[in-house]
Amino acid sequence: MHNMLKELRRDKLAVIALVLLGVIFLMAIVGPYLAPFDPITQNLHERRLGPSLVHWLGTDEFGRDILSRLILGSRNTLFIGFLSVAIGLSIGCVLGVIAGYYGGFADSCIMRAMDLMLAYPYFLLALLIVATLGPGMTNSTIAIGIASVPTYSRVVRSSVMALKGSLLVKAEEALGATDWRIIILHVAPNVFAPVIVVATLGVASAVLGGAALGFLGLGAQPPTPEWGVMLSGGRSYLIDAPHIALAPGIALALLVVSCNLFGDTLRDILDPKLK
C-alpha cells in the first residue's frame, strides 16, 4: 500500500486527477450546505442571466442558479456512475467466478449469454433496457449496470481461469478444501487488482452513459439537477446563453478525464507486466 501511494505521488497527472475527484466528491457530500440558492425554485424574471457576482455561473432557462444546480447535480451524477458500476461488478464477478472456476456447461451457458449481450453496443443495450423499464434515474442506473455486466464477467473469468491451475489452488484441493473456501480465500484476492482497474475506468463510462440517458430524457427527470439533464436544457441556447450548457459540460468532462487518468495510473501500478 505504501509503495502504491509512493508511485501515485510520482505521477503528476494522477495527483491532479485525485484532487479533481476529491473536489467533486466533497461537492457531492456537502452540496446542500454549499449551494447558494435552491436548485429547483424557478425565477422567470432572471432567465438566462450571464455570470455575475450574485450568480457566479449565471442562471438557466428557468432562472435557476446554475452553480447550485451543478453542486447538487454532482451527487446524482456520481450516484448513477458508482451504483451502476456496483451493480455490474457484483453480477459480473459472480458470473465470471462460476464460469472460470467450474468451466464446462456453466461456462458455456454464461459466456454465450455474455456474447449475446456484447452483440449490442454498450449504450444501445442500456437504451433498450431503460426503454423497457421506463425513464428515471434509478432505472437508468440499473440499465447501465446490467449493460456493463459482460465486461466485468469476462475479466473475472479470464483471471480465475489463470489462477485455477496454480499450485496454491491445487494444494488446497488436495487438502480437501471446498470450492467456495478456495474462491473466497485464494481466488478472489488475486482477482482484485484487474477488477478494480476495470471498475475505475468503468465509472467514467457509466457517468457518460447516465448523462447521455439524461440528455435524451430517459435518465433523471426534470427538475432534478443532473449534469446530463442540465446539458439537455442548455442545448437550445448555445448561441444566446452558452453558459447554460458550458458549465455542466466542463464539469462532466473533468470528472470523466479524472476517472480515466486515475484508472490508467492504477493499471500501470497494479499490472506487473507493465513494470
Side-chain angles (χ1 to χ4, degrees):
M1 186 66 180
H2 176 72
N3 292 333
M4 179 178 173
L5 292 175
K6 189 176 180 180
E7 291 192 41
L8 274 175
R9 285 198 297 267
R10 289 177 183 172
D11 193 328
K12 298 296 188 293
L13 287 177
V15 172
I16 294 173
L18 273 176
V19 170
L20 286 173
L21 287 174
V23 170
I24 294 172
F25 271 100
L26 183 64
M27 192 166 61
I29 293 170
V30 299
Y33 307 101
L34 292 178
F37 296 93
D38 189 322
I40 297 177
T41 301
Q42 300 181 10
N43 187 350
L44 300 181
H45 296 292
E46 296 184 350
R47 290 179 296 174
R48 302 195 296 276
L49 295 180
S52 64
L53 293 177
V54 178
H55 301 284
W56 290 6
L57 297 179
T59 60
D60 65 7
E61 67 275 20
F62 295 108
R64 298 170 298 196
D65 183 63
I66 293 177
L67 177 60
S68 300
R69 289 182 62 77
L70 196 70
I71 292 173
L72 270 296
S74 63
R75 177 175 296 183
N76 294 323
T77 301
L78 289 175
F79 171 84
I80 295 173
F82 281 89
L83 185 58
S84 59
V85 167
I87 292 171
L89 189 61
S90 57
I91 299 174
C93 282
V94 172
L95 294 178
V97 166
I98 294 173
Y101 190 83
Y102 292 102
F105 180 72
D107 183 28
S108 298
C109 290
I110 292 172
M111 285 302 104
R112 296 301 74 77
M114 297 301 103
D115 290 341
L116 182 62
M117 293 177 69
L118 286 171
Y120 295 89
Y122 169 79
F123 186 67
L124 183 60
L125 180 59
L127 267 178
L128 179 63
I129 296 171
V130 79
T132 303
L133 297 175
M137 189 167 67
T138 301
N139 288 344
S140 65
T141 302
I142 295 172
I144 294 170
I146 294 175
S148 64
V149 167
T151 301
Y152 298 116
S153 64
R154 292 176 74 88
V155 170
V156 173
R157 173 181 176 268
S158 61
S159 299
V160 170
M161 289 182 70
L163 291 167
K164 185 181 176 182
S166 65
L167 293 176
L168 178 62
V169 173
K170 294 295 183 184
E172 287 288 334
E173 289 176 347
L175 292 172
T178 62
D179 291 342
W180 285 105
R181 175 182 170 83
I182 295 172
I183 291 170
I184 293 172
L185 295 182
H186 302 291
V187 174
N190 290 289
V191 173
F192 176 77
V195 168
I196 196 64
V197 172
V198 175
T200 305
L201 296 171
V203 171
S205 299
V207 166
L208 278 179
L213 290 174
F215 184 86
L216 295 174
L218 295 173
Q221 299 296 299
T224 303
E226 193 271 328
W227 293 352
V229 175
M230 293 173 67
L231 273 172
S232 179
R235 62 180 169 176
S236 302
Y237 307 98
L238 291 176
I239 297 177
D240 298 332
H243 64 277
I244 298 176
L246 195 60
I250 292 175
L252 193 60
L254 288 175
L255 175 57
V256 171
V257 170
S258 298
C259 289
N260 283 330
L261 287 175
F262 183 61
D264 288 340
T265 303
L266 275 183
R267 181 194 59 195
D268 296 340
I269 293 172
L270 297 176
D271 192 345
K273 297 177 183 178
L274 298 176
K275 293 186 180 295

